[in-house]
Amino acid sequence: MVDLNPTTHLQAAAWVPDDDPERPWDEAADLAADWIWERSEAEGVKPLLVTNTFQNARSIGSLEEIARAGGQATPQGKERFERGPVLVYVPDERTLKLALSLARGYSLAVVESVSFPLAEWAAGAGAINLLDGSTSVSSLPEDVRADLDHAVSFGGNNGWTGSHEKEHARNHLARHVQAGRLAPEQAASYVLAKGVSDRGAKRLRLLLEKVG
């Protein structure tokens, strides 16, 4: 039986950080595509492409190849897909959560965009950085991670919908945001790796943006 990450439920994860504004998008996509094709062969299932919209994959050959082989899913799409290895391209919270659902039990490759930083998700998922082969680790201080874990334990299951859950998150996290030790986007990325819903991650991000 294959061991899965206890929170992401993936066999393996990898990502391409958006850390160089000069890097062509097709180069980043090619790195992720090469890796997911290797995982596809090992797992015996064709890979699936997940994007924010159907237009995102156009003119990038490696992404179009995956879409032809296994299909392309978006949060707005109505077609149903079987689970398998997934490449998700420049996702937001909602698209990443869809990709995680479709990749459950298999592998996931992510191409990051600076509009939704994913370093903390990558750390939680134990994702391989495809630029240098390293396993991602969190850049957040230990006490910040501990407070994020408390916030997830108290309000994460409900996605911080209740007033007490929101107040608890503010009490534990606002000071870190105000001190520049935690960005709202980092918090959203972190809690997604803990199994919080995309709506919950977005709600936490918006809550923390107001206290910054």
Side-chain angles (χ1 to χ4, degrees):
M1 187 173 180
V2 178
D3 289 332
L4 303 179
N5 182 288
T7 54
T8 62
H9 307 289
L10 299 172
Q11 288 192 36
W15 71 310
V16 182
D18 186 14
D19 59 359
D20 181 357
E22 300 300 320
R23 182 181 300 113
W25 285 109
D26 58 349
E27 181 179 314
D30 290 351
L31 287 170
D34 288 346
W35 186 85
I36 206 65
W37 277 113
E38 290 179 5
R39 296 304 306 170
S40 169
E41 183 175 351
E43 294 164 11
V45 181
K46 291 180 179 179
L48 172 69
L49 176 67
V50 175
T51 54
N52 296 322
T53 69
F54 285 110
Q55 288 72 33
N56 285 140
R58 289 182 179 173
S59 77
I60 299 180
S62 59
L63 299 184
E64 292 178 333
E65 182 182 8
I66 291 173
R68 286 192 299 269
Q72 181 180 0
T74 75
Q76 298 81 21
K78 296 181 180 179
E79 186 176 355
R80 300 287 183 177
F81 293 94
E82 296 295 325
R83 288 175 176 167
V86 171
L87 190 160
V88 60
Y89 181 70
V90 296
D92 57 16
E93 292 105 331
R94 186 182 180 193
T95 303
L96 180 60
K97 200 64 178 181
L98 172 63
L100 283 163
S101 175
L102 289 169
R104 188 183 179 100
Y106 295 90
S107 295
L108 177 65
V110 185
V111 177
E112 181 195 45
S113 165
V114 291
S115 61
F116 182 46
L118 288 170
E120 292 306 316
W121 173 85
I128 299 168
N129 182 331
L130 292 175
L131 297 175
D132 60 16
S134 64
T135 300
S136 300
V137 295
S138 177
S139 64
L140 295 174
E142 184 175 349
D143 63 317
V144 175
R145 297 199 305 272
D147 283 340
L148 279 164
D149 290 340
H150 284 308
V152 169
S153 177
F154 188 85
N157 284 342
N158 293 327
W160 295 282
T161 53
S163 59
H164 292 300
E165 296 161 348
K166 292 177 182 177
E167 185 62 25
H168 182 275
R170 277 191 290 265
N171 288 342
H172 281 77
L173 302 175
R175 66 181 183 277
H176 299 312
V177 175
Q178 292 162 353
R181 304 176 75 226
L182 173 67
E185 295 83 2
Q186 287 179 304
S189 179
Y190 184 94
V191 302
L192 277 169
K194 298 294 183 179
V196 171
S197 71
D198 57 296
R199 291 183 179 181
K202 183 176 181 180
R203 194 173 292 117
L204 179 64
R205 173 172 60 80
L206 294 174
L207 185 154
L208 295 178
E209 285 176 354
K210 294 178 181 178
V211 303

